[in-house]
Amino acid sequence: MFREYAKALLKRVDTRQLMQFKPPTLPPRIYTKQLNIDNKHYGAFCQEVAWQDAATMHPLYLQMLSLPLQMQCLLDKKSPFPLLGLIHAANRVEVLEECDLSETFECRVRFSDVRPHSRGWEVDVSLEAFQQGRCVYKAISSYLVKVKAVHVAPRAPVQDTTEACVDSPKNLLAELDVTADTGRRYAKISGDYNPIHLFGLSAKAFGFKRPIAHGMCTLARALSFVPVSDGQHISDVVCRFKRPVMLPCSINIYQMCQDEDRSIMEITSSDDQQVHLDAEVSTL
């Protein structure tokens, strides 16, 4: 996706739409692509995120593969949003049916929503994946577009998924060392060569003291440790990214509470002083 990042550097953004009080207009175009899963590539992804369930597709894999379509969507000539500088703020995945990795996926990506945020605008890019004419998978990536404009209305408070678990003991699922080359390894698999993930110098050029891990990589690794009963699979993931994971570092993966088909996850720094993300995970 180097070509897409090159286009992003040259893209002219219509900042007038971003400075208006009303939400900017979303381009209606749907970007589509037929995807055939390469088993070697999928195996490399599973190894990187420690996914052990060979019989079930990792719930983030298709969304990762849709990134080139997402970038095309964001680079649409009618899109008012810059590609560089976007912050991945939230993520949602719904696995509607069992996905067959041996069958072709038809992926459709489009803008689906935009709403005010206290720091600018939050825009949703949605993915729908079909097999044999049936929608088997849905996902939404929410991106923050920062705009210094006093007329942007404050975003409604986001409910903290961990509030219901205040009185529940934390269950430590894993302690992970996130190495300095994590961003480069995941970029090789995902194609996401955003400079903020690669090297110290390239990250500093975009305002980060050190390179940061891909949020999708951190979430994917956390999902690999979710306890799932025999015969079940992860069917729904709702995640909010809070603080970047600076490389290198150590992180803790906690299960805050759990019932029969729902878990609340939290990823913190090794000293538990910072929460990097929280997620609600449902199984079926």
Side-chain angles (χ1 to χ4, degrees):
M1 288 186 289
F2 288 108
R3 184 177 63 178
E4 283 78 8
Y5 279 112
K7 288 182 179 180
L9 287 170
L10 299 174
K11 181 182 178 182
R12 300 182 65 181
V13 178
D14 185 0
T15 56
R16 293 174 299 177
Q17 285 199 55
L18 300 180
M19 301 299 289
Q20 295 176 2
F21 182 79
K22 66 179 182 179
T25 302
L26 298 177
R29 182 173 176 179
I30 299 175
Y31 289 85
T32 63
K33 186 177 182 179
Q34 302 285 328
L35 288 179
N36 292 300
I37 304 303
D38 180 281
N39 290 332
K40 184 176 179 180
H41 182 269
Y42 181 62
F45 170 83
C46 291
Q47 183 176 3
E48 178 62 34
V49 302
W51 182 254
Q52 302 295 324
D53 186 1
T56 306
M57 185 186 73
H58 190 290
L60 294 192
Y61 186 63
L62 272 184
Q63 193 175 28
M64 184 198 73
L65 290 182
S66 76
L67 184 60
L69 286 178
Q70 293 188 48
M71 293 184 72
Q72 289 181 45
C73 191
L74 290 163
L75 286 169
D76 190 297
K77 291 182 179 179
K78 295 183 179 180
S79 167
F81 308 113
L83 178 57
L84 295 179
L86 287 181
I87 297 172
H88 194 175
N91 203 62
R92 174 156 192 170
V93 168
E94 295 177 85
V95 183
L96 304 177
E97 294 187 23
E98 184 176 352
C99 297
D100 187 346
L101 293 175
S102 66
E103 293 284 339
T104 300
F105 290 92
E106 180 191 345
C107 294
R108 303 174 186 174
V109 168
R110 62 183 177 86
F111 286 111
S112 56
D113 192 24
V114 61
R115 54 199 166 272
H117 187 283
S118 58
R119 298 171 65 190
W121 301 101
E122 193 168 89
V123 59
D124 290 346
V125 179
S126 68
L127 160 70
E128 292 182 324
F130 296 80
Q131 285 190 314
Q132 298 182 354
R134 300 192 310 275
C135 184
V136 296
Y137 183 96
K138 291 183 178 181
I140 295 175
S141 297
S142 300
Y143 297 100
L144 171 62
V145 185
K146 292 195 291 186
V147 178
K148 292 183 179 179
V150 296
H151 55 266
V152 174
R155 177 172 57 88
V158 176
Q159 184 177 1
D160 190 340
T161 57
T162 63
E163 285 182 356
C165 302
V166 171
D167 297 326
S168 300
K170 286 186 176 183
N171 178 23
L172 179 62
L173 298 179
E175 298 175 275
L176 300 180
D177 290 326
V178 189
T179 58
D181 65 342
T182 296
R184 296 190 293 275
R185 293 200 317 268
Y186 187 76
K188 186 176 180 179
I189 294 171
S190 67
D192 183 357
Y193 285 92
N194 189 323
I196 64 176
H197 303 304
L198 305 180
F199 300 99
L201 287 176
S202 59
K204 286 179 180 178
F206 289 89
F208 294 95
K209 294 181 180 180
R210 305 202 307 269
I212 67 174
H214 297 73
M216 288 283 285
C217 181
T218 305
L219 177 59
R221 294 183 76 176
L223 293 179
S224 296
F225 293 94
V226 174
V228 178
S229 302
D230 291 341
Q232 290 192 320
H233 66 274
I234 295 175
S235 60
D236 196 281
V237 180
V238 180
C239 168
R240 194 86 194 170
F241 300 104
K242 295 189 171 183
R243 290 180 180 272
V245 174
M246 297 288 184
L247 303 176
C249 70
S250 297
I251 58 174
N252 295 331
I253 301 176
Y254 287 105
Q255 183 182 50
M256 307 295 290
C257 58
Q258 182 185 27
D259 56 27
E260 291 184 359
D261 57 2
R262 174 177 169 271
S263 294
I264 302 297
M265 311 293 296
E266 188 176 81
I267 295 183
T268 71
S269 55
S270 59
D271 59 5
D272 293 339
Q273 295 302 303
Q274 293 186 337
V275 177
H276 296 296
L277 67 85
D278 59 43
E280 180 177 336
V281 182
S282 300
T283 58
L284 190 65

